[in-house]
Amino acid sequence: RPEGRTRELFGALAQRTDDGITIRELAGAIDKSESTASRQVDVLVQQGLVTKDRSGQSKTVELTTLGRIVARAERHDAT
């Protein structure tokens, strides 16, 4: 499960499970710089929770199967 700094970013991404989100959109969602969001995404990539693909000039982030499972578990734990 994501912890610390990556938790908020993962939560913002988990709310958009049906499609990807750009690093810029994620940064705006958590009120951080794009470079901070990108570093946090890299941690989630290493954990196997997200993938990051370059599409033109932007990088799109999507949950992996494991990321979707973790997101569902976190939503369940919150209830």
Side-chain angles (χ1 to χ4, degrees), residues 8-28:
E8 182 182 13
L9 183 130
F10 183 77
L13 181 57
Q15 292 177 1
R16 297 184 57 164
T17 56
D18 55 338
D19 59 352
I21 185 171
T22 66
I23 298 280
R24 177 175 285 153
E25 291 171 319
L26 272 175

Side-chain angles (χ1 to χ4, degrees), residues 16-79:
R16 297 184 57 164
T17 56
D18 55 338
D19 59 352
I21 185 171
T22 66
I23 298 280
R24 177 175 285 153
E25 291 171 319
L26 272 175
I30 63 169
D31 197 30
K32 302 287 182 193
S33 70
E34 285 184 52
S35 62
T36 296
S38 184
R39 284 192 304 272
Q40 291 178 7
V41 165
D42 289 342
V43 170
L44 295 174
V45 168
Q46 290 175 347
Q47 294 175 341
L49 298 174
V50 303
T51 59
K52 181 171 65 171
D53 295 311
R54 182 172 286 285
S55 174
Q57 291 190 354
S58 62
K59 293 178 184 170
T60 302
V61 181
E62 294 184 49
L63 292 174
T64 61
T65 300
L66 177 60
R68 286 190 294 276
I69 291 168
V70 170
R72 265 183 267 149
E74 288 194 353
R75 282 194 298 271
H76 182 275
D77 289 349
T79 59

